Amino acid sequence: MDFVEELSWRGMVHSIMPGTEEQLKKEMTTAYLGIDPTADSLHIGHLCGVMMLRHFQRCGHKPLALIGGATGMIGDPSGKSLERNLLDEETLRHNQEAIKKQLAKFLDFESDAPNKAEMVNNYDWTKNVSFLDFAREIGKHITVNYMMAKESVKKRLNGEARDGLSFTEFTYQLLQGFDYLTLYQDKGCRLQLGGSDQWGNITTGTELIRRKLGGEAYALTCPLITKADGGKFGKTESGNIWLDPARTSPYKFYQFWVNVSDADAEKYLKIFTSLSKEEIDALVQEHAEDPGKRPMQKRLAKEVTCMVHSEKDYEAAVEASAILFGNNTAEALRKLDERTLLDVFDGVPTFEVSKAEIEAGVPLLELVASKTAIFPSKGEGRKMIQQGGVSVNKEKVTDPAATIDAGALLDGKYIHIQRGKKNHYLVICV
């Protein structure tokens, strides 16, 4: 596989430095991509970069994942308006290990292959460098004029940020250039990958390598991912979509992908999966013939959920989705853990009732019409129950005299009641 060709048809090339393709065709090449370690999990905003590394390795080249332990402490002016918080080394190392575990699902770190992936941390080669050494060995090679001409710097200096640009942030491109120089010397790294907002920082590195060592180094960036409606990719009302299941459940993760628009689904299939062009073209054709079945979204959600979590998590997410949107069974509902159950019913009306009363036994009619407002009156409730329009925990109840007791509790405190086909309610017993 040809790396640039592969990324190009996927829409993942924004800018590429002349000579990059020739370098990649000449020999197995080492490339790095920087990852901010301010959290102990990646989120889907990192996925495009991670997929670049994945394709790079699949094309026979060697990927380096650089954890920005040093640069992550000071903040990058590219597209940001605030400086970052300082991390202590213990937190940094914890975050690094957690991120490596996630990256291992995308990259081969363990085999004996010459292009096996490696993780490096720029804190390791930056922490003992004195300011005087840095100024003498690095700073003298890059002029202030050169640094001021960078788009990210110009934007901040022209007042787009409320507090201007600190000296710390201004030196960010030199620190990133120092990373590239170090990896060029120590690991034979000839290419840096990143988002299009990183072009200025990356080219400072190639310039530093040229001026200090007379060496040739290259750059390739991918576009920043957007949604078709112009909204920010990966952000929801509840915040980031994380790769860590403790932060974003596999069910919510799956739901994010299965609910993307048609326009975004085709684009995301190219960027966030390893499916071939032929497979994606076939899905686009299938979708055009029957958009209502959403084959692009379903396959996208399957591929990404299996890659980030597991096939078992994917299957559980599909089963959980069918509870609210399909004809799933009482058994499937009872299998849900509390977190997934609450995710499934996020946004449906909820009512609190006394757990002690439920344990003692409450007539269903009283529960749906007196203790909650699922029905405006017992008469309406009775009529719908008799017509088979009421389910308790996915089981139809047709006897208006039925009683609900502790046996109905899910996870010891919840009862799901469905009125008609589309009205769901969650009773919380406290």
Side-chain angles (χ1 to χ4, degrees), residues 54-116:
R54 181 179 171 91
H55 291 306
F56 193 70
Q57 189 171 43
R58 288 173 74 225
C59 290
H61 300 292
K62 183 177 178 70
L64 302 176
L66 179 140
I67 295 296
T71 42
M73 287 180 172
I74 64 168
D76 172 3
S78 308
K80 307 282 193 319
S81 57
L82 296 169
E83 290 193 44
R84 296 174 187 166
N85 295 325
L86 188 80
L87 297 172
D88 59 66
E89 189 166 356
E90 188 183 348
T91 305
L92 186 60
R93 297 299 176 193
H94 164 75
N95 292 355
Q96 177 179 332
E97 284 310 304
I99 289 169
K100 184 173 183 181
K101 202 171 166 186
Q102 291 179 339
L103 288 175
K105 294 192 173 186
F106 299 84
L107 304 170
D108 165 25
F109 286 97
E110 301 301 328
S111 78
D112 296 328
N115 70 325
K116 78 170 184 176

Side-chain angles (χ1 to χ4, degrees), residues 209-251:
I209 289 164
R210 188 183 69 78
R211 291 185 186 185
K212 187 169 170 63
L213 303 175
E216 285 292 332
Y218 304 97
L220 188 153
T221 61
C222 64
L224 295 180
I225 310 303
T226 55
K227 293 198 294 186
D229 64 7
K232 190 167 182 182
F233 167 75
K235 287 281 186 184
T236 65
E237 285 178 20
S238 53
N240 285 321
I241 303 292
W242 298 92
L243 272 53
D244 182 347
R247 287 172 175 256
T248 300
S249 69
Y251 168 79

Side-chain angles (χ1 to χ4, degrees), residues 99-171:
I99 289 169
K100 184 173 183 181
K101 202 171 166 186
Q102 291 179 339
L103 288 175
K105 294 192 173 186
F106 299 84
L107 304 170
D108 165 25
F109 286 97
E110 301 301 328
S111 78
D112 296 328
N115 70 325
K116 78 170 184 176
E118 285 183 49
M119 178 173 273
V120 292
N121 189 329
N122 61 13
Y123 185 68
D124 294 333
W125 58 78
T126 307
K127 64 182 176 182
N128 295 323
V129 176
S130 73
F131 180 76
L132 289 177
D133 286 341
F134 188 79
R136 186 177 64 232
E137 298 301 324
I138 304 301
K140 73 175 184 181
H141 294 285
I142 302 291
T143 66
V144 170
N145 308 56
Y146 178 86
M147 294 169 72
M148 297 272 282
K150 298 294 183 181
E151 198 60 38
S152 57
V153 172
K154 283 199 288 191
K155 277 184 182 177
R156 293 290 294 272
L157 289 175
N158 290 340
E160 289 192 20
R162 191 174 63 241
D163 300 322
L165 180 71
S166 70
F167 172 76
T168 311
E169 290 176 297
F170 183 56
T171 58

Side-chain angles (χ1 to χ4, degrees), residues 40 42 50 57 87 93 99 113 150 164 170 173 180 191-192 227 236 238 241 248 280-281 290 298 342 385 387 406:
D40 60 0
L42 302 173
V50 173
Q57 189 171 43
L87 297 172
R93 297 299 176 193
I99 289 169
K150 298 294 183 181
F170 183 56
Q173 58 177 293
Y180 203 168
L191 175 63
Q192 186 179 165
K227 293 198 294 186
T236 65
S238 53
I241 303 292
T248 300
I280 294 172
D281 287 345
D290 191 353
K298 287 177 181 175
L342 291 175
I385 291 168
Q387 291 171 348

